[in-house]
Amino acid sequence: MRERLLQAIDAALRELLRDAGDSAAPPAFVVEAPRQNDHGDFACNAALLLARRLGRPARDIAATLIAKLGDAGGLLARAEVAGPGFVNLWLEISRWRSALHEILLAGPDCGRSETGAGRAFQVEFVSANPTGPLSVGHGRQAILGDCIARLLEATGWRVLREYYFNDAGRQMRVLGESVRARYLEQLGRATPPDQKAREGLPVVFPSDGYQGDYILDIAASIREREGEGWAREPGDGGFRQEATARIFDGIRRTLDALGVHFDVYSSESSLYDERCVETLLADLRATGLLEERDGALWLRSSELGLPRDRVLVKSDGEHTYLLPDIAYHREKFRRGFERVLDVQGADHKDQAPFVKAAVGLLGLDPTRLEFLFHEFVTLSTGGRKVKQSTRRATFITADELLAEVGVDVFRYFMIERRAQSHLDFDLELAKERDWTRNPAYYVQYAHARTHGIERQARARGVMMPTPEQVETEALALAEELELIRKLSVFREVVARAAETREPHHLAYYLREVAGLWNPYVQDSARHRVLGVDPALTRARLGLTLAVRFVLAAGLDLLGMSAPEQM
RNA sequence: GCCCCCGUAGCUCAGUUGGAUAGAGCACCGGUUUCCUAAACCGGGUGUCGCAGGUUCGAAUCCUGCCGGGGGCGCCA
């Protein structure tokens, strides 16, 4: 709808410019739905942008533009100059009504577009190392990444969801040592670090070990299964494996419960197995930007315009995480993705430029690699902050939060805010069962109501209409036209949310649709869907179906269920 | 000290590549109504868009400086 209008205005502008002897292209004008209804269905700022260039008053140009535009091939009912030189445009009502038909014909696909054209897009997110259960911050990231993936799919991209984890470095070793220490403590062969040493019992627990209760549980289950059998094991290997497997199981269960499913889990160690890191090091050497210094191997990244140099290989021979990270991103492109998106927490912000620069250094196009950073999550209840510290007593995991509020509310609340805003998760509101107060339920209930109406219709022997049976001329009330207008931009909203990687726009949009639909249904003193006039009833049932398609598709893009009954 | 994000109504937050009189939900008050499941509708009103400059037809939006909150600045991941 807007697309066609854009084209018509563009053509009119070119004509206008030609008349003025200006052969350059028209300016980048905007056609948008203005805030105020009496400013038309759309407003265009082209005349304002041209005023200086043509040396004429903007309102003059606007008037000329309107004359050139005419009715834009039957699209326009009215156009007028407004304010400093806007052109306000009113669409022919029949055009709005045909937008409703388009939704009914598209059905569940009413939000889809094809800009991705089947190209391959990798979204990497969560990527938490298996050292403990997922935090609420990981939970936000899981929802954010998954919703972006869903949006990209809806715009025609072929999306692969990937989870990358480090299993080769020091962190995993410390994890194994932590479990081993707890195991020995439980056998009475070691002293916990917070207790006074007993006779001859050493403290084994590492100073930077993992303190959580889940470590105790893993140790206990090993003890139950193996007895004292592992006490003489010299290294942490068995413990590390056991811990990693157990924790990863938990993480996957959590993700599963959140409705987040990865296509690929890839590990740092596989990069070593396939010699990617080795190859990378050789190729980086060839760039001449590596340098031995103090026994370590440095990347002279400051010469690439970055704030400092970085160590790739430590003086003890171990790699920093940056090195395999670069190798990993190179692999992504080798695997043929047109575009790659990394979703990460704000604490990774400073690292991205190094990876990006290294990718460029290797001759790859860094603009195909995107990063999206999200800020942290805090929990509050009734305006009071809930303390989140790593101390076990007050640490709330994604699992625990999920158990409190359920997956639909979890997802809605996590996606409602833009990524770069702090997310204040209001537990009190999230646990609110009243659909009028909890926005997640408000949207879902709006959907359920379309089925409620269908149930009523069936009880009265009224059939739901096919698209062809919907005579939209019968829809004349202001609130009906407003609904149609809102529904008709769904595809654009989805496309924009996908393109800007900003799923929160979709959440807001659905809230707005529900905010029109719920009162419409509720205020049935003035307009009942199921009435005496069969044509009007069919038209309103058509509207009901269109609302259902949009809400169902929208909820699905957020990974939420669309219940038929609540 | 340097870098990044944020600062919008009492609270939580939106604000479409710079657009017209800055919005939503919650919370508060009054009136109407009882209906396709839980109530809805109408009205009441609040903003130095953190502060100060600048850019221009026009700034919450862009630039500079400052203030406040968060994150980062490791041969940790």
Side-chain angles (χ1 to χ4, degrees):
Chain A
M1 191 73 63
R2 204 168 66 96
E3 204 52 43
R4 258 170 285 179
L5 197 53
L6 273 167
Q7 281 165 18
I9 293 173
D10 189 66
L13 274 175
R14 285 175 193 280
E15 203 182 319
L16 185 151
L17 285 169
R18 205 167 43 240
D19 290 354
D22 187 328
S23 57
F29 63 92
V30 161
V31 174
E32 57 186 6
R35 286 203 185 88
Q36 312 221 171
N37 278 339
D38 55 340
H39 288 158
D41 296 326
F42 294 103
C44 178
N45 67 345
L48 287 157
L49 299 173
L50 280 173
R52 166 166 298 195
R53 181 161 143 192
L54 299 181
R56 283 170 56 196
R59 290 186 61 99
D60 264 22
I61 301 172
T64 314
L65 178 59
I66 287 172
K68 296 272 181 213
L69 205 50
D71 71 348
L75 212 54
L76 290 175
R78 186 153 67 96
E80 49 186 53
V81 181
F86 288 100
V87 174
N88 291 346
L89 303 156
W90 283 262
L91 247 53
E92 196 60 56
I93 282 186
S94 62
R95 293 296 182 147
W96 283 122
R97 290 176 175 143
S98 66
L100 182 64
H101 262 130
E102 282 170 27
I103 294 170
L104 291 173
L105 287 169
D109 286 338
C110 58
R112 287 197 60 90
S113 52
E114 294 300 332
T115 48
R119 287 172 292 165
F121 201 127
Q122 187 209 44
V123 183
E124 184 212 324
F125 58 113
V126 184
S127 294
N129 292 336
T131 58
L134 295 181
S135 65
V136 291
H138 291 128
R140 179 181 195 186
Q141 190 174 132
I143 307 309
L144 181 61
D146 185 56
C147 285
I148 289 172
R150 287 168 190 258
L151 284 165
L152 290 169
E153 283 166 342
T155 51
W157 289 89
R158 199 172 76 249
V159 179
L160 187 124
R161 294 166 173 80
E162 185 153 323
Y163 185 125
Y164 171 75
F165 59 99
N166 302 98
D167 56 351
R170 211 184 64 90
Q171 240 191 347
M172 290 298 112
R173 211 163 50 235
V174 173
L175 177 70
E177 285 165 6
S178 302
V179 176
R180 176 166 175 272
R182 294 307 191 200
Y183 170 76
L184 293 175
E185 287 165 15
Q186 289 171 10
L187 290 176
R189 296 183 178 217
T191 308
D194 51 348
Q195 285 175 28
K196 250 206 315 223
R198 275 174 281 169
E199 201 181 337
L201 289 183
V203 171
V204 183
F205 195 81
S207 58
D208 53 351
Y210 292 93
Q211 312 239 1
D213 286 343
Y214 58 96
I215 300 289
L216 299 173
D217 296 343
I218 295 166
S221 77
I222 292 174
R223 184 168 48 86
E224 275 163 33
R225 196 185 63 219
E226 305 287 339
E228 304 213 350
W230 281 21
R232 279 179 306 280
E233 278 223 358
D236 57 271
F239 294 99
R240 191 198 314 187
Q241 267 193 349
E242 179 94 11
T244 308
R246 289 272 306 255
I247 292 170
F248 231 123
D249 269 1
I251 288 175
R252 294 174 94 132
R253 264 200 305 278
T254 305
L255 291 170
D256 210 51
L258 287 173
V260 176
H261 307 288
F262 285 92
D263 302 298
V264 172
Y265 286 82
S266 64
S267 68
E268 182 187 357
S269 58
S270 69
L271 294 171
Y272 287 101
D273 296 346
E274 287 157 30
R275 304 204 168 281
C276 298
V277 179
E278 213 173 299
T279 313
L280 170 66
L281 216 40
D283 292 345
L284 285 177
R285 269 185 217 283
T287 67
L289 276 178
L290 297 195
E291 172 184 304
E292 299 265 353
R293 202 188 302 161
D294 310 323
L297 187 65
W298 291 74
L299 173 68
R300 291 206 307 274
S301 35
S302 50
E303 289 178 25
L304 300 169
L306 291 163
R308 63 193 176 90
D309 291 346
R310 296 290 304 268
V311 170
L312 296 180
V313 182
K314 300 190 259 175
S315 52
D316 65 2
E318 212 169 316
H319 297 162
T320 62
Y321 71 94
L322 181 60
L323 184 61
D325 221 32
I326 295 168
Y328 174 49
H329 282 85
R330 183 191 215 181
E331 272 304 285
K332 294 188 184 196
F333 286 113
R334 197 191 57 74
R335 285 159 59 194
F337 295 106
E338 172 86 17
R339 292 200 80 93
V340 165
L341 172 68
D342 285 17
V343 182
Q344 298 181 335
D347 51 339
H348 284 75
K349 261 189 283 195
D350 281 357
Q351 310 303 338
F354 292 96
V355 175
K356 209 160 179 163
V359 163
L361 198 58
L362 295 164
L364 299 161
D365 177 6
T367 62
R368 286 160 59 199
L369 171 60
E370 284 176 51
F371 290 87
L372 175 64
F373 300 104
H374 66 87
E375 292 294 328
F376 296 144
V377 178
T378 54
L379 297 172
S380 72
T381 172
R384 289 193 323 281
K385 291 260 179 284
V386 177
K387 276 252 168 68
Q388 272 285 79
S389 89
T390 35
R391 291 226 177 87
R392 27 192 132 135
T394 58
F395 185 80
I396 296 176
T397 64
D399 260 335
E400 289 160 350
L401 181 58
L402 180 58
E404 288 281 318
V405 303
V407 61
D408 288 332
V409 171
F410 189 103
R411 293 193 69 124
Y412 187 88
F413 276 62
M414 286 299 188
I415 211 64
E416 203 188 3
R417 307 289 180 225
R418 30 204 286 270
Q420 47 278 105
S421 281
H422 247 95
L423 194 152
D424 183 59
F425 196 110
D426 186 343
L427 271 168
E428 194 173 277
L429 186 60
K431 289 200 278 193
E432 177 65 64
R433 306 292 303 180
D434 181 352
W435 67 269
T436 62
R437 300 195 39 168
N438 189 323
Y441 295 141
Y442 189 81
V443 174
Q444 287 184 310
Y445 185 55
H447 175 269
R449 276 181 145 164
T450 68
H451 284 275
I453 290 170
E454 179 171 349
R455 283 190 292 273
Q456 280 288 329
R458 212 179 298 134
R460 298 179 197 188
V462 177
M463 299 288 289
M464 293 306 275
T466 63
E468 296 73 31
Q469 290 170 331
V470 176
E471 300 144 42
T472 49
E473 308 76 58
L475 300 174
L477 295 174
E479 49 268 54
E480 290 166 342
L481 293 172
E482 200 180 350
L483 259 167
I484 292 171
R485 255 170 67 150
K486 182 60 80 180
L487 295 176
S488 73
V489 298
F490 179 54
R491 197 190 305 269
E492 271 183 64
V493 169
V494 171
R496 195 173 90 82
E499 208 170 298
T500 58
R501 331 286 186 231
E502 290 180 330
H504 72 280
H505 288 304
L506 181 57
Y508 267 84
Y509 170 79
L510 295 180
R511 180 64 183 68
E512 286 169 358
V513 173
L516 293 175
W517 178 242
N518 277 327
Y520 179 80
V521 176
Q522 190 68 39
D523 193 15
S524 53
R526 297 200 305 189
H527 39 64
R528 295 185 67 83
V529 171
L530 303 170
V532 285
D533 178 348
L536 184 57
T537 297
R538 277 197 302 277
R540 287 180 174 166
L541 283 173
L543 183 61
T544 304
L545 284 175
V547 168
R548 178 192 297 174
F549 288 140
V550 166
L551 287 177
L555 285 166
D556 185 58
L557 286 169
L558 297 184
M560 295 169 65
S561 67
E564 298 186 4
Q565 210 167 337
M566 288 175 75

